[in-house]
Amino acid sequence: MSDEKRIYLSGYAKRKLKKEAEDAVSKLPKLTNFFKTFNSVNEVEEEANTNNKDDLVTKHRIDKTMAEKMLNENKYWVKVLHRVVSVVKFLVVRGLTFEINDSRLGSPSNGNFLGILEVISEFDPFLKQQMNERANKGSGNVSYFSMRICNEIIDLMVNEILLEKTKQLQETKYFGLILDSTPDRAHRDQFAVVVRYCYKGLVVERFLTYIHILNHTGISMAEEVIHFSENNNINLQYCRGQS
């Protein structure tokens, strides 16, 4: 029979040993540090501004050449998007139209979006080169000058703005709800959803969305408002007025 004795540890001692082991493991080098990926435009933009970081990203990779090419490609399109998004914001804030009858660069009737880009390109060599090399090439060729891209950018902006408004509603808690029905240009019935609340000592009124409706019954409109509120984390229990 063995003379060895089993050592029994208290709960505190076990937890202490476990924590020390976890701390030791956390200090070990991780392979993921050598295979960093770029998941957002902001991360790519930060890497583009620091050459040292670029070296850290690529120098330990077996596909270094391909990684450098992808990084340079990301930098290029981020610069293009900066210009495109700025023009989209300019037009949206002022409620101006984007396209008229023609979607070709160089056409006198191509609308405000392409027209403003053309003016900027006269003082921006990078944008001028982008236009000369990639514009008017037809579908299947990436340029970021199409109305499809504009609509996608606008949708992203709408989502971000709506998210900020809902955050303010959650902070202020109580709000009033305003619904106003009106047909759109296609003569489809819709109603605007507007909220009024007090934010940082000021009474503000914010438009949230348009909702298309099939009929004007109270039940139908209520169901649409409830569905929209649930999808956007708006608690109708804190609604203190409706008009």
Side-chain angles (χ1 to χ4, degrees), residues 57-164:
V57 171
T58 59
K59 72 178 182 179
H60 293 292
R61 298 181 61 154
I62 58 175
D63 56 346
K64 177 181 177 181
T65 302
M66 183 179 294
E68 289 176 346
K69 184 176 180 181
M70 291 177 60
L71 186 61
N72 291 332
E73 189 79 3
N74 284 333
K75 292 179 185 179
Y76 179 88
W77 289 113
V78 166
K79 291 174 69 175
V80 174
L81 279 173
H82 276 164
R83 291 150 175 82
V84 172
V85 170
S86 294
V87 175
V88 171
K89 287 168 59 180
F90 176 86
L91 295 174
V92 168
V93 169
R94 289 160 180 79
L96 301 176
T97 58
F98 280 70
E99 184 180 7
I100 303 178
N101 301 318
D102 201 341
S103 59
R104 296 175 301 169
L105 283 165
S107 171
S109 58
N110 57 14
N112 292 323
F113 174 66
L114 295 180
I116 293 175
L117 285 174
E118 288 175 348
V119 172
I120 295 175
S121 69
E122 295 180 6
F123 309 95
D124 187 342
F126 172 81
L127 185 59
K128 187 69 172 180
Q129 180 183 359
Q130 164 75 359
M131 288 182 171
N132 292 337
E133 293 179 354
R134 301 177 182 269
N136 300 335
K137 299 293 184 180
S139 60
N141 295 281
V142 180
S143 67
Y144 287 152
F145 296 146
S146 67
M147 283 308 303
R148 178 180 178 182
I149 292 297
C150 286
N151 290 332
E152 289 182 4
I153 293 174
I154 292 172
D155 288 340
L156 291 172
M157 291 179 176
V158 168
N159 293 336
E160 288 297 319
I161 292 172
L162 180 58
L163 181 61
E164 179 61 28

Side-chain angles (χ1 to χ4, degrees), residues 22-33:
E22 291 176 348
D23 292 341
V25 171
S26 66
K27 294 178 181 178
L28 293 175
K30 295 181 174 58
L31 288 177
T32 52
N33 292 336

Side-chain angles (χ1 to χ4, degrees), residues 18 33 38 43 47 84 96 102 136-137 141 156 174 187 190 192 195 213 223 233 236 242:
K18 182 179 179 181
N33 292 336
F38 301 95
E43 290 177 2
E47 298 297 336
V84 172
L96 301 176
D102 201 341
N136 300 335
K137 299 293 184 180
N141 295 281
L156 291 172
Y174 301 108
H187 304 290
Q190 62 180 3
V195 290
I213 54 176
E223 288 176 348
N233 297 320
L236 291 178
Q242 187 272 326

